[in-house]
Amino acid sequence: MTPANGAPARVGVFGLLGSGNLGNDGSLEAVLGYLGDEHPEAVVDALCGGPEVVAARYGIPATRLHWYRGEYRTASRAGAVAAKGLGKLVDVVRTAAWVRRHDVVIVPGMGVLEATLPLRPWGFPYSLFLLCATGRLFGTRVALVGVGAAPIGDRATRALVRRSARLAAYRSYRDALSRDAMRAMGVDTARDEVYPDLAFALPAPPASAPAGPSGRVCVGVMDFHGGNDDRARAEEIHRRYLAGTTRFVRALVEDGREVRLLTGDACDAPVAAAILDAVDSPLVTAAETVSLADLMRETAAADTVVATRYHNLVCALKSGTPTLALSYAAKSDALMAGMGLDAYCHPAREVDADRLLEQFRALEKSSAELRRTLAERNLAAAERLRHQFTALTAALFPTTDHAHAHTSRETP
């Protein structure tokens, strides 16, 4: 696992890490666990959105992804527009210099090849393209590991995503829909594998014994405004989502149920606060979570989970708790189907509290059977992820006997 000169391999991790999204950071944690277990001599650092958080939490050196600190704020003034444009040019040099110092760069999970949430092409898709292009230029192996992908309507975003995927040395996906989406975009996926989401590799807390029909319900909320193609009606979608979710929480409280609100990103906090204010009951509280481990502890202590964010769902399923998805994208439906709960999905764009309550009650009636199903599916997911990490070692850290045997390079 060392370069030809015998020095420890230099491994970079890349992405919107340390930026407040717990799912992204959980994927990073899973990859760092793999590197620590299988390649402890590797020298690891990050190019990421929140370098201070990553350095403090994971103990690795970290560099800011963008030169311009206002990258993800809308630029309206001429000065801000000019600074953002200059930042795009500066980032070419910064990214190239960082990539060149590494033997391998891993993009850990995340939906880096999709636009199911609002996304501009010159934001993260541009950053990912710079990474993959400079990796190819300097001979640094770039791996997109367990990533999410989806059909993309915007032409510029789709072109950047397609070219990035083609330039990567290794690709694997968190569901078959992702691989199909990249194939439809013209990427050769013949040697690309599908594995469970990387968060399933994280340790899960022991599940609590069910407390009966009066037990706690975790409700995972999201600052949901639709996807990249829904910008014109984003506020309408958000109002409908918030109203339906609030009504559902209020109905649970009227039944005497304790409700624990969960978030998965810093931007979700106002949604939880709005529901707390609207319901105004001591039975409703909001959890303070800073990691997927915190989310798993919350979901493991619940009888039932109803959640929107993808990694809220992953944490609930990983903890073995019967779960109902407020689904905003095909990836959520695929996740639920893979864990045997495909009957328990509800559209996040059109939350119908009455229908949601019906599905919730049906879920609770089947709780014991579903817990057994989740236990079996979690064992299978863990085994598949062991194969993922074995394949990753073969692809990124080959011995002289099988160098590059498992890489999936192709001509862009």
Side-chain angles (χ1 to χ4, degrees):
M1 134 98 213
T2 56
N5 61 9
R10 300 162 299 174
V11 180
V13 289
F14 177 95
L16 294 178
L17 310 165
S19 300
N21 185 286
L22 302 189
N24 292 1
D25 291 355
S27 299
L28 168 63
E29 187 176 339
V31 165
L32 291 178
Y34 151 72
L35 291 171
D37 290 342
E38 301 297 328
H39 310 291
E41 70 276 22
V43 178
V44 183
D45 74 314
L47 184 63
C48 60
E52 298 85 2
V53 172
V54 169
R57 185 173 296 165
Y58 303 109
I60 60 175
T63 303
R64 187 172 297 280
L65 180 59
H66 301 290
W67 173 79
Y68 179 57
R69 289 177 177 258
E71 173 63 33
Y72 292 104
R73 294 194 297 267
T74 300
S76 55
R77 296 180 181 178
V81 172
K84 183 173 282 193
L86 176 61
K88 299 302 178 188
L89 298 176
V90 174
D91 285 344
V92 174
V93 178
R94 294 176 70 254
T95 302
W98 183 81
V99 168
R100 193 172 189 175
R101 296 197 299 267
H102 296 83
D103 302 297
V104 168
V105 174
I106 296 174
V107 180
M110 306 178 285
V112 298
L113 303 178
E114 65 181 54
T116 52
L117 297 176
L119 182 71
R120 298 294 189 189
W122 305 114
F124 188 78
Y126 174 74
S127 300
L128 183 66
F129 171 72
L130 289 182
L131 169 74
C132 295
T134 53
R136 177 65 68 93
L137 179 64
F138 296 123
T140 299
R141 293 183 291 275
V142 174
L144 310 179
V145 183
V147 298
I152 297 173
D154 180 77
R155 182 177 298 177
T157 303
R158 184 171 64 248
L160 286 168
V161 164
R162 178 174 58 240
R163 186 59 61 91
S164 298
R166 287 176 167 176
L167 288 167
Y170 175 89
R171 296 179 298 267
S172 65
Y173 306 99
R174 64 188 179 192
D175 53 49
L177 291 174
S178 296
R179 183 170 61 184
D180 292 345
M182 295 315 298
R183 183 183 298 122
M185 285 187 215
V187 176
D188 181 2
T189 62
R191 289 180 287 178
D192 298 353
E193 294 292 337
V194 173
Y195 299 97
D197 188 87
L198 288 171
F200 281 102
L202 297 172
S208 301
S214 62
R216 175 183 293 182
V217 180
C218 282
V219 178
V221 300
M222 179 178 177
D223 184 27
F224 180 61
H225 292 76
N228 216 39
D229 298 328
D230 298 318
R231 291 179 184 273
R233 57 192 192 100
E235 289 308 314
E236 175 195 345
I237 290 171
H238 181 68
R239 284 194 298 271
R240 178 178 288 184
Y241 169 79
L242 180 58
T245 306
T246 301
R247 187 179 168 201
F248 173 70
V249 170
R250 187 177 287 116
L252 292 177
V253 169
E254 289 171 354
D255 284 346
R257 302 297 292 268
E258 178 188 355
V259 177
R260 187 76 158 162
L261 299 179
L262 306 179
T263 58
D265 193 292
C267 67
D268 300 334
V271 179
I275 293 173
L276 284 170
D277 289 343
V279 178
D280 191 23
S281 168
L283 288 175
V284 185
T285 56
E288 295 184 7
T289 54
V290 298
S291 68
L292 292 194
D294 290 343
L295 280 174
M296 287 186 200
R297 279 190 288 271
E298 292 285 349
T299 57
D303 279 6
T304 314
V305 176
V306 179
T308 310
R309 277 203 181 271
Y310 181 83
H311 279 99
N312 277 194
L313 294 173
V314 170
C315 287
L317 298 168
K318 169 75 175 175
S319 66
T321 303
T323 301
L324 199 161
L326 286 175
S327 175
Y328 66 87
K331 63 183 179 182
S332 299
D333 297 336
L335 171 66
M336 295 293 284
M339 297 300 285
L341 277 77
D342 46 311
Y344 302 103
C345 295
H346 189 94
R349 282 175 176 78
E350 300 179 4
V351 178
D352 180 331
D354 293 332
R355 172 62 181 146
L356 186 58
L357 277 167
E358 290 178 8
Q359 290 179 286
F360 173 79
R361 288 165 181 151
L363 178 75
E364 291 210 311
K365 285 181 181 178
S366 301
S367 178
E369 177 186 352
L370 293 175
R371 285 180 179 272
R372 289 191 293 270
T373 298
L374 287 172
E376 295 169 359
R377 300 295 172 96
N378 274 308
L379 288 174
E383 179 62 24
R384 285 290 295 153
L385 282 168
R386 282 191 284 272
H387 288 291
Q388 161 71 101
F389 292 134
T390 298
L392 194 59
T393 291
L396 299 186
F397 311 113
T399 65
T400 54
D401 292 331
H402 62 278
H404 307 293
H406 291 76
T407 59
S408 56
R409 290 186 182 273
E410 60 181 85
T411 302

